[in-house]
Amino acid sequence: MSATSTALEFALRPSTTPVAQVRREEILASPGFGNHFTDHMATATWTADAGWHDDAVVPYAPLTLDPAAAVLHYAQEIFEGLKAYRHGDGSVWAFRPEANAARLARSARRLALPELPEAAFLASVEQLVRADEAWVPTGGESSLYLRPFMIATEAFLGVRPAREVRYLVIASPAGSYFSGGLKPVSIWLSEDYTRAAPGGTGAAKCGGNYAASLLPQQEAVAQGCDQVCFLDAAEHRWVEELGGMNLYFVHDDGSIVTPALSGSILEGITRSSILQLAADAGRKVEERRIGIDEWREGVQSGRITEVFACGTAAVVTPVGRLVSREGELVHGGGEIGEVTQSIRTALLDLQYGRAEDTHGWMRRLV
Ligand code: PLP
Ligand code: COI
């Protein structure tokens, strides 16, 4: 499906009822994750006849949807997640937003949604962050989390790709994803459920994948764990990823290994950035299949010295325990490992403008 050739500009139609400064500052002092939203949102509409149009940054408000809208019945929906970071000089930057634009386009193809041109994606993010610049937190590891998404809005109950679609971006000030801050997380190994199957939608960022992860995630919480880890659907043997993060294994020779993209793993932008940053630091990096037995034996023998999870929301978070029906396997001494820490620092230094951007990954928004 093609888009119109007219450039989308997302011109601002400012809110006349923005959140009061005092209240905004209260929120920014302790934002948590995903709790509060800014004064505006970006929006554009696509129809099969007219392509993309009606682009603007408008006041944040509830949507009016026909109850027959396809997204409500057949989950034709995709989304992205990226952050805007405030640098020491007050400027605001995004990290590799072109990669999010490309992944949204790949997700769109898989979900039979229209592709949004990269320039339009970048304009939507830039215009929204400019409008809501006052919502970009300062200090610590805080940021403005951006959530672009696309939904099938056509009112039609037949099962086919919708001919009317809406794209939106909302923004939410963010502190740490995990309420405990940076401490090792525990992982429950899901042996009864899988997240994605060969030929399915695992490599796309679509809402259905997350709906499917909620019950196993609930099981993880019932087992006293923070996150759930999924194995491959065919053999129940190969480590894939967590519900919303990719995984890395640090070996005793200093090398790092992450599960190879299988078609059912989401290609994390943090994951691929770490492959590059670790290689830049002279570390051996590998993408290959990792069996659950290798994980267990590696931790027991000391060959695997650290395990960490990574993603936009969670940044780099150490894994402290793997729990399954076989019992519990403790990793490290309840502290972040040395390699995990150095990778975490390298990534954050880049995102917050404290390190030189040798790959041209940062894009200035404000
Ligand atoms: N895997 C899943 C299932 C995710 O939802 C995410 C989060 O976006 C990731 C991995 C990490 O991707 P990224 O680093 O692009 O945020
Ligand atoms: C992200 O890291 O952006 C995610 O999407 C993870 C989760 C909040 C869905």
Side-chain angles (χ1 to χ4, degrees), residues 79 81 100 103 195 205 210 241-246 266-271 310-313:
F79 69 98
N100 294 95
R103 189 170 62 188
R195 174 185 172 276
K205 207 162 163 61
Y210 299 81
E241 62 179 318
L242 308 186
M245 285 154 236
N246 294 116
L266 187 80
E267 185 172 1
I269 292 156
T270 319
R271 173 190 177 279
C310 67
T312 297

Side-chain angles (χ1 to χ4, degrees), residues 34-363:
N35 300 313
H36 305 282
F37 300 93
T38 63
D39 294 315
H40 298 91
M41 60 187 191
T43 175
T45 297
W46 177 92
T47 55
D49 295 337
W52 287 107
H53 57 277
D54 269 357
D55 53 299
V57 167
V58 298
Y60 186 95
L63 305 177
T64 304
L65 275 186
D66 193 293
V71 64
L72 301 177
H73 302 272
Y74 309 127
Q76 199 189 0
E77 187 268 0
I78 55 174
F79 69 98
E80 268 305 320
L82 72 164
K83 286 172 169 174
Y85 306 87
R86 194 180 291 284
H87 287 186
D89 65 358
S91 57
V92 179
W93 302 69
F95 179 68
R96 306 188 73 182
E98 301 85 358
N100 294 95
R103 189 170 62 188
L104 186 74
R106 292 199 298 277
S107 299
R109 284 197 286 278
R110 181 63 184 85
L111 274 287
L113 282 161
E115 285 178 39
L116 182 77
E118 180 191 273
F121 179 91
L122 296 176
S124 67
V125 163
E126 196 170 290
Q127 288 293 92
L128 178 60
V129 174
R130 281 189 186 155
D132 285 334
E133 197 234 314
W135 285 90
V136 184
T138 302
E141 285 173 18
S142 58
S143 60
L144 185 64
Y145 183 80
L146 303 167
R147 172 54 63 86
F149 62 105
M150 201 188 284
I151 55 175
T153 49
E154 185 186 354
F156 176 62
L157 292 184
V159 182
R160 60 142 172 79
R163 292 186 181 138
E164 185 192 295
V165 167
R166 186 116 178 246
Y167 166 74
L168 294 121
V169 189
I170 55 173
S172 174
S176 180
Y177 182 69
F178 292 107
S179 54
L182 181 65
K183 56 173 209 251
V185 294
S186 49
I187 305 254
W188 167 250
L189 181 70
S190 183
E191 289 168 284
D192 297 328
Y193 303 105
T194 50
R195 174 185 172 276
T201 57
K205 207 162 163 61
C206 63
N209 292 342
Y210 299 81
S213 78
L214 296 179
L215 180 60
Q217 173 65 25
Q218 222 172 22
E219 197 176 85
V221 171
Q223 296 289 338
C225 292
D226 301 296
Q227 273 285 318
V228 58
C229 175
F230 293 104
L231 299 174
D232 76 290
E235 295 182 66
H236 291 267
R237 176 178 169 200
W238 306 107
V239 176
E240 295 239 298
E241 62 179 318
L242 308 186
M245 285 154 236
N246 294 116
L247 274 174
Y248 267 96
F249 299 84
V250 181
H251 285 70
D252 55 0
D253 62 356
S255 64
I256 62 168
V257 185
T258 191
L261 299 176
S262 60
S264 48
I265 292 178
L266 187 80
E267 185 172 1
I269 292 156
T270 319
R271 173 190 177 279
S272 53
S273 305
I274 288 171
L275 283 173
Q276 183 67 55
L277 291 176
D280 291 350
R283 213 171 273 290
K284 185 175 154 222
V285 298
E286 231 184 317
E287 294 174 87
R288 63 170 169 81
R289 293 211 290 192
I290 297 157
I292 185 62
D293 292 345
E294 182 184 344
W295 182 347
R296 288 192 171 117
E297 286 158 19
V299 171
Q300 275 157 354
S301 70
R303 219 159 12 90
I304 293 175
T305 51
E306 302 170 33
V307 181
F308 65 85
C310 67
T312 297
V315 195
V316 169
T317 300
V319 171
R321 289 188 304 144
L322 174 67
V323 184
S324 68
R325 284 202 281 264
E326 277 191 20
E328 180 175 325
L329 191 59
V330 175
H331 302 38
E335 310 240 308
I336 184 167
E338 204 181 302
V339 176
T340 305
Q341 181 65 262
S342 75
I343 289 171
R344 189 171 200 282
T345 302
L347 183 64
L348 287 170
D349 281 352
L350 185 54
Q351 292 171 333
Y352 285 92
R354 298 184 292 257
E356 197 192 337
D357 177 19
T358 53
H359 297 286
W361 283 345
M362 302 304 295
R363 184 182 179 91

